Amino acid sequence: MTVTNQQIDNILSELLELHPKRIDLSLGRIINLLKKVNEPQSKIKNIIHIAGTNGKYSTLRYIQEILRYNNKSTNAYISPHLIRFNERFELKDKQVDNETLLNTLIDIKDKNNNNPITFFEITSAAFFELASKHEADYTLLEVGLGGRLDSSNVINPLISVISSISLDHQDFLGDKIEQIAFEKSGIIKKNVPVVIGYQPYKEAEQILIDQAQYLECPTFIYGCDFFIYEGNNQLIYEDPDHRMKFNKLKSQNGKFQIKNLATAIATCLQLNKVEVKNFLKNNLHQKVYFPGRFEKLENNKLNKLISDQNELYLDGSHNQDGSKNINDALKELPEKKLCLILGMINTKDPLRYVSEYDNLELLTTITIPDEENSYSANELKNIFSNNNVKNTKQSDSIEEAVKSTAEAFPDARILICGSLYLAGKVLELS
């Protein structure tokens, strides 16, 4: 019998009811549940554990494609999903099918026996169960939130990877960058190698280095042990044992991805019999797809609402460091007027986020569809209006926002941004 998407949605809704909070950082509940299902996380080999505020998904995807080029199979745990929950579970390089997912979620739910447990905890347990039964050469495990008390942090990794850390989720991780870095550093395990990617805050980098040294971990640090830079219209990656020249990323990939690529290269070079040079030489780094991450939309239904001179971009960034990266990437593109369409979760800081964008012609606020934790379009507009942000208006829908923006600025670059949840709603329109 075919398992429908609605059946998956129904079981996911049931799992959401098992705990009064969406987020309640702790390891006790998932550890107890994993004991009931015979510790599947301990049976998974070659785990690459990836934490960070920005760039962890992009780093994961680069690592994954390098491994695939080397004929290595991968499992991957990714969050959040953009369109369907199935995106979170990749088993041997394929998204989990509905039947396998439903049966596993029901089994894990039954074994949990109605004990309080968060949605992320119980679904993480389901991934561990599936990954243990679908053995792959490597399992790529993306942290959900933080690191130290994240549900993914119940494993012994082959290598730990930490991408860029910045201010985000302060309500759970602390108000200071040092506190956030400490939480992220919780994935570092004694004597396990750790790759530390580019860090915009040196205070965060020092916390990571201190923790790695305390736990006697071999460290590979961006800007110290490995480097990436431009020279003679090429990118050059260097570490003590390697020097590789390869073509620059195309501007529409976003310049910020260079740092994520470097972190992925440094990680893969620590792995046994994984070859990176020819992956780069064959330009495969140019072809990695990052849905909802500085993505130029060309075949979306929204493209029908804009002129031939408009460009439409989508990005799920939602913090100040993220918007700085996107603004820098926009500067690499041919000059065009910039208009934002913004939707955000109500725990984020819209003023800090928007402050990084240069020369905004128009800022249109929207409510993220079907998201109870979204700022309303009116709330966002009032925040900007009350803080003297000019040229701000609100729209009732994504479609209306795109259409009215294109009519007012028929030659502008339009960027839909502020939330991965919003990015998912846009990609649903494809």
Side-chain angles (χ1 to χ4, degrees), residues 51-56 145-146 162-171 173-184 197-205 208 317-325 348 352-353 356:
T53 306
N54 295 316
K56 59 182 182 288
L145 196 160
I162 303 180
S163 65
S164 167
I165 294 173
S166 59
L167 292 167
D168 201 6
H169 298 295
Q170 291 99 310
D171 42 342
L173 304 181
D175 292 328
K176 296 181 179 179
I177 196 67
E178 293 89 347
Q179 293 172 297
I180 295 172
F182 176 75
E183 293 298 327
K184 305 283 185 187
Y198 166 79
Q199 297 301 323
Y201 293 91
K202 291 304 170 187
E203 307 96 313
E205 182 178 76
L208 301 179
S317 60
H318 46 262
N319 55 54
Q320 189 172 8
D321 186 48
S323 58
K324 181 182 184 303
N325 287 334
K348 304 304 178 185
R352 281 178 178 262
Y353 179 81
E356 294 293 340

Side-chain angles (χ1 to χ4, degrees), residues 132-402:
S132 72
K133 292 179 176 177
H134 294 75
E135 186 174 326
D137 294 317
Y138 291 90
T139 292
L140 309 179
L141 200 61
E142 183 182 341
V143 168
L145 196 160
R148 184 174 64 91
L149 297 176
D150 184 77
S151 301
S152 66
N153 201 28
V154 291
I155 48 87
N156 293 309
L158 175 70
I159 191 166
S160 303
V161 183
I162 303 180
S163 65
S164 167
I165 294 173
S166 59
L167 292 167
D168 201 6
H169 298 295
Q170 291 99 310
D171 42 342
F172 297 104
L173 304 181
D175 292 328
K176 296 181 179 179
I177 196 67
E178 293 89 347
Q179 293 172 297
I180 295 172
F182 176 75
E183 293 298 327
K184 305 283 185 187
S185 76
I187 72 162
I188 300 173
K189 302 293 192 298
K190 189 173 180 64
N191 299 130
V192 173
V194 56
V195 177
I196 298 173
Y198 166 79
Q199 297 301 323
Y201 293 91
K202 291 304 170 187
E203 307 96 313
E205 182 178 76
Q206 194 59 53
I207 293 285
L208 301 179
I209 293 170
D210 290 347
Q211 286 297 105
Q213 289 178 342
Y214 174 72
L215 293 169
E216 301 176 344
C217 302
T219 54
F220 305 90
I221 304 165
Y222 182 101
C224 179
D225 302 301
F226 67 95
F227 306 82
I228 196 164
Y229 55 91
E230 294 184 23
N232 295 324
N233 209 32
Q234 287 186 303
L235 285 175
I236 302 168
Y237 170 92
E238 276 190 328
D239 64 31
D241 300 312
H242 306 88
R243 190 173 193 271
M244 292 178 278
K245 294 182 179 180
F246 49 96
N247 288 339
K248 291 198 300 184
L249 289 172
K250 296 169 185 173
S251 57
Q252 60 262 36
N253 291 108
K255 200 169 184 178
F256 59 92
Q257 290 290 15
I258 294 171
K259 295 162 185 171
N260 297 325
L261 175 58
T263 304
I265 293 170
T267 301
C268 289
L269 289 173
Q270 313 305 317
L271 307 177
N272 187 37
K273 295 182 180 178
V274 172
E275 201 278 328
V276 178
K277 187 173 183 178
N278 285 330
F279 174 86
L280 300 168
K281 185 178 178 182
N282 291 329
N283 256 349
L284 298 178
H285 60 293
Q286 305 271 27
K287 299 178 181 178
V288 183
Y289 175 48
F290 308 101
R293 280 82 172 176
F294 201 61
E295 179 178 1
K296 187 176 184 182
L297 300 178
E298 296 181 303
N299 298 301
N300 191 281
K301 289 180 182 177
L302 297 175
N303 288 93
K304 297 176 182 177
L305 304 177
I306 63 176
S307 78
D308 292 341
Q309 285 72 48
N310 284 129
E311 290 178 357
L312 190 58
Y313 277 80
L314 176 67
D315 188 78
S317 60
H318 46 262
N319 55 54
Q320 189 172 8
D321 186 48
S323 58
K324 181 182 184 303
N325 287 334
I326 299 306
N327 187 63
D328 289 343
L330 289 167
K331 290 178 182 177
E332 296 290 311
L333 300 175
E335 189 172 345
K336 268 185 175 292
K337 294 176 180 176
L338 177 63
C339 298
L340 293 192
I341 296 172
L342 182 74
M344 297 195 86
I345 299 295
N346 56 22
T347 54
K348 304 304 178 185
D349 189 333
L351 286 171
R352 281 178 178 262
Y353 179 81
V354 167
S355 70
E356 294 293 340
Y357 289 105
D358 294 333
N359 303 318
L360 270 183
E361 296 287 341
L362 179 66
L363 172 59
T364 303
T365 64
I366 57 173
T367 306
I368 302 170
D370 306 316
E371 177 49 61
E372 63 182 22
N373 295 315
S374 172
Y375 279 113
S376 71
N378 188 55
E379 285 173 327
L380 275 177
K381 183 180 183 299
N382 286 339
I383 288 170
F384 293 121
S385 297
N386 293 338
N387 287 275
N388 300 313
V389 178
K390 297 177 180 178
N391 301 326
T392 304
K393 68 170 192 171
Q394 67 186 72
S395 279
D396 292 332
S397 68
I398 300 168
E399 293 88 343
E400 180 191 296
V402 171

